[in-house]
Structure formats: structure tokens, C-alpha cells
Amino acid sequence: MRCTVFGTGYLGATHAACMAELGHDVVGVDVDPGKVAKLADGVVPFYEPGLEEVLQRNLAAGRLRFTTDYSDAAAHADVHFLGVGTPQKKGEYGADLKYVHAVVDTLAPMLERPAMIVGKSTVPVGTAAALGIRAREQANVEVEVAWNPEFLREGFAVQDTLRPDRLVLGLDHVRERSAWVEQHIREIYADLIAAEIPFLLTDLATAELVKVSANAFLATKISFINAVSEVCEATGADVTMLADALGYDARIGRRFLNAGLGFGGGCLPKDIRAFMARSGELGADHAVAFLREVDNINMRRRTKVVDMAARACGGSLLGANVAVLGAAFKPESDDVRDSPALNVAGMIQLHGAVVTVYDPKAVENSRRVFPTLNYATSVSEACDRADVVLVLTEWNEFTALTPADLDPVVRSRSIIDGRNCLDSTSWRQAGWVYAGLGTP
């Protein structure tokens, strides 16, 4: 089937390449000519394992191309996926929908035959219905709006697109052509449905709420175990063993119960804040008031690690030499949006320390956000004459470190494990001062 994908950032580029991988004829559209040129040359402008191979394979097969020309995209297909960003508004909690509106306002007047706009972006509930009205006011043909939220995990985006946990499609059931939309989406995902991936048909509002509710739940689970870790620190209990014990309960499960520096990235923080903002607009802010504390707990972990670093340096960071291992918000990603690791590095520098950061993939992105930090090209370079080493992103390269790897280069044998990903016993037995979060 022929389809377009508007927006070629993390979500859009992944969706476009994977739809082509499923055999569809896909055009990716973006207003950034530089991004379009890179993708057309088979270069992914961000790090995502496996995506570049999928991109190059489908470019070579002729199933995928990229353009800045909206009229070309409008003529290409009847199914238009919307994958642009919905960042947090400056100075507010709410989501900024200007990119979503820009696509609809530009595309709708160009449509020459009945078409559907299928949202992938994470948006506040009520957005899809409003977009349907907005599109039909500007189009000269019938336009339907549906919502098909994404559930991608950075580092696993290709897998999560080609073999997702579930497919959700929200339709405006009042519209006569909703069955037409469903038919087309079922055809696009025919291989996935044949593989018995659950396909859930909902109304528009439910589809919009599925994604933000999922993110809110995951954020709550992470902040819950981090809140418990604060109690563990006050009592001498071990939060890792506690989480293992909780994880055996099938009602709870072990995933997302890893205490540490907390969550970041381009989804969870801004999505829970947008959820709170939208709930307030709907008069239901009391229902999600707990998310404010979820957010507070998460941010508190960052200042906790800064305090731990100061204690490791004798009570003051002024003049200390601090090595930070990790800048991306999670491993297998170069994404530094709202990264706890990079945030901590910046705060430590503001306290007067000399901070050197190393990350296998995120150095260039980090340099654009925090150009005043020092950046290294290896672990040993970052840790050279360090007074304390902070492990803040759990890359395999860091979890595999041993005391012998760092002994020759550091000034003081002190390490803070911000992700509880190291073997504390082996580091302590080797004479290091080891500190984790929520562990004795």
C-alpha cells in the first residue's frame, strides 16, 4: 500500500523505514532539507540499533524515499501518518501542538481525493477530534482522522514497530467512513495481525489516552521504587534485593523496578506533565495529582547524586575532578533530552568541579546541550586523575568495568553507581569506596 509519514525524527523515520520493510511504498516528509538529504543517502541522523540497515535496504529496493514537498506527498497516498514531535511548551506543562497543526494546515488543502490522517504522535486527549474538524474545514475532499499511538522503546524501536506488543487504532465511530479507515489500517498491518499481534479498536479519546497512561504508569513504577530506595537509605535496607522480592509477585513484576538515577528522555517526563496539564483543563486534575510527586521524586534523585558526589570529595565539589560515565538518558541511544546523567554532570560543574563526560554514542549531542563540560573519547580518558567516578548510564561498556580497569588512572578510588548496575562487593573488596542508591 502507498502511504506517507510526516516528520522524520525518531518516531517518523523509524515508522517510515519499518512500513517499507513491511512491503509498503512509503514517502517520508520533513521540512528540514538537511534531515531529508541524510535519510535519502541512507544515513540515520540519530543512533538506533538496526534502523540504518532497514533504511538502506528499503531505499535500495525502491520502496522508500524522502522529500520536503508536501504536494508530492499529498498526491502519493491516501494514508498519511503523522509522526511529528509534541514537546513540552516553554514555561508550561502542556504539550506544544504547533508541529501537529502545521502538518494538518499544510496538507489538508492539497488533498485531491478522500484521505485519512493517522496520528502516531503522543498528544493530549481530545486532539484527534479537534484535528478532524480542523482538517475538514480546510480540505476540499473528505478527510478522516484516526489515532494509532506508538509504543517504541529507544534502543528497540525497529523490533517494537515490526513486532509490537499490541496495535491500537482509535476511530471516530460517528463518521460514516470509519470502516474505510479501519480497512486500510488493517491492510497496512496485515502481516502483524497475521502474526497474532493484538489489534485493539477503540474510540479516538481512548487511543490517545492509552499512550500517556502507559507512560504515566511506567514513570510511577520507577518513582515508586526510588521512593522506597530513600527509605532503604534511611534504614540500611537493600533496595535491589527488595525489588527482586517484589518482582516475584506476578501482579507487580520485576521490570521498571530498578532504583537509581530515575527516568528521562523525550517521552516520560514531558508526557506525564502534559497529562497533568490536560487533566487540569478537563477539571480532573485531582485524579492525576499523584503524578506531581512522581515527577518530584524523579528530579530529587538527581540532586541526591550531586550530594553523594560532594560527600565523596570531602564535602565540597569546588576544584574536584569528576568523571561522568554516561550522557544519554538510557543505553543504546544517543538521546540526551532531559537526560538525568547530563543534568547531574551540569549541576556538578555548577558546584565548581571539573567534569569530564564520556558516552559511547551521545557525546556530540551532549556537547550541543552543555558545551562547557569536558568530553572524553574513552573511559580511561574520562577517569584520568578523577577524585570520583560516576556511572550514570548503564551501557554494557560501563557495567563490564572492573576495579583493575580504573586503578591505574584515577586519583581516588571512589565510585558512585547511579544505576545500581555494578557488583558492589567486587569494587569494595578491591579497596574502592562504592556508593549506590538505596543500597547499604
Side-chain angles (χ1 to χ4, degrees):
M1 184 174 288
R2 296 161 72 90
C3 59
T4 64
V5 178
F6 287 85
T8 60
Y10 182 83
L11 166 59
T14 302
H15 191 67
C18 288
M19 291 303 97
E21 183 77 355
L22 290 174
H24 303 300
D25 185 355
V26 183
V27 173
V29 191
D30 203 289
V31 296
D32 184 343
K35 193 183 296 184
V36 165
K38 277 189 174 182
L39 290 164
D41 286 339
V43 178
V44 176
F46 51 86
Y47 178 69
E48 178 58 39
L51 181 57
E52 197 152 272
E53 293 86 341
V54 175
L55 175 71
Q56 293 173 353
R57 182 163 57 246
N58 287 283
L59 286 169
R63 290 189 295 267
L64 178 62
R65 61 186 176 89
F66 295 90
T67 184
T68 59
D69 187 348
Y70 268 62
S71 60
D72 176 16
H76 174 76
D78 301 327
V79 181
H80 304 285
F81 287 102
L82 185 58
V84 296
T86 54
Q88 187 175 336
K89 290 180 181 177
K90 290 183 179 180
E92 299 180 37
Y93 270 14
D96 190 343
L97 298 177
K98 64 184 177 185
Y99 303 113
V100 172
H101 291 156
V103 171
V104 172
D105 293 347
T106 306
L107 174 65
M110 295 182 178
L111 297 171
E112 297 180 351
R113 59 186 185 274
M116 66 190 75
I117 297 172
V118 183
K120 299 293 297 180
S121 306
T122 304
V123 296
V125 62
T127 299
L131 284 179
I133 296 170
R134 190 181 188 114
R136 286 187 283 273
E137 286 176 345
Q138 301 180 75
N140 298 312
V141 295
E142 285 293 313
V143 181
E144 306 299 329
V145 171
W147 222 257
N148 171 220
E150 57 85 13
F151 302 100
L152 306 186
R153 298 167 297 164
E154 293 195 29
F156 302 91
V158 172
Q159 171 188 325
D160 288 346
T161 304
L162 296 177
R163 284 296 180 269
D165 293 329
R166 72 286 205 196
L167 291 165
V168 175
L169 177 63
L171 298 174
D172 186 347
H173 295 294
V174 176
R175 302 282 301 173
E176 292 181 2
R177 296 178 66 86
S178 63
W180 175 72
V181 176
E182 180 185 350
Q183 176 189 345
H184 277 71
I185 299 303
R186 284 186 179 274
E187 288 178 19
I188 286 174
Y189 292 131
D191 288 352
L192 280 61
I193 294 171
E196 299 186 344
I197 289 167
F199 184 92
L200 287 78
L201 202 60
T202 75
D203 56 83
L204 291 174
T206 301
E208 291 167 315
L209 281 169
V210 167
K211 176 60 189 294
V212 294
S213 299
N215 280 354
F217 184 84
L218 296 177
T220 301
K221 195 170 182 181
I222 295 167
S223 282
F224 168 79
I225 198 64
N226 278 332
V228 171
S229 77
E230 293 181 8
V231 179
C232 289
E233 288 159 8
T235 60
D238 188 328
V239 74
T240 301
M241 295 182 67
L242 185 152
D244 288 341
L246 288 177
Y248 283 108
D249 189 326
R251 298 168 300 173
I252 299 173
R254 184 61 176 82
R255 295 184 66 192
F256 289 88
L257 279 181
N258 293 316
L261 188 51
F263 57 81
C267 290
L268 261 61
K270 63 101 175 172
D271 285 351
I272 65 169
R273 292 165 192 161
F275 196 11
M276 284 188 277
R278 182 57 177 148
S279 297
E281 292 169 355
L282 295 169
D285 50 318
H286 59 282
V288 294
F290 70 94
L291 289 178
R292 189 173 296 276
E293 183 57 21
V294 167
D295 203 4
N296 287 337
I297 292 167
N298 189 55
M299 299 306 293
R300 204 156 62 225
R301 304 313 284 163
R302 304 181 187 190
T303 56
K304 168 73 175 179
V305 171
V306 175
D307 292 342
M308 291 170 68
R311 286 198 300 273
C313 294
S316 173
L317 287 164
L318 187 62
N321 192 11
V322 178
V324 171
L325 302 183
F329 86 96
K330 63 177 288 186
E332 299 303 325
S333 172
D334 63 354
D335 193 344
V336 297
R337 291 175 293 174
D338 205 357
S339 166
L342 201 55
N343 189 197
V344 166
M347 285 193 286
I348 288 174
Q349 185 190 49
L350 289 174
H351 280 74
V354 177
V355 182
T356 305
V357 178
Y358 169 67
D359 188 284
K361 295 294 181 181
V363 165
E364 289 308 310
N365 286 342
S366 302
R367 202 188 304 272
R368 284 190 281 271
V369 177
F370 277 103
T372 59
L373 295 171
N374 297 318
Y375 294 94
T377 58
S378 67
V379 169
S380 58
E381 182 185 348
C383 296
D384 184 38
R385 297 184 59 76
D387 295 305
V388 63
V389 177
L390 278 64
V391 178
L392 302 184
T393 310
E394 61 273 38
W395 286 94
N396 290 337
E397 181 179 352
F398 304 153
T399 61
L401 285 172
T402 66
D405 295 323
L406 300 186
D407 279 338
V409 294
V410 299
R411 184 157 57 195
S412 298
R413 292 191 291 176
S414 177
I415 193 163
I416 295 173
D417 183 1
R419 295 295 179 182
N420 291 346
C421 59
L422 302 175
D423 180 0
S424 59
T425 302
S426 64
W427 285 87
R428 285 173 173 147
Q429 288 178 345
W432 280 68
V433 177
Y434 169 95
L437 288 165
T439 60

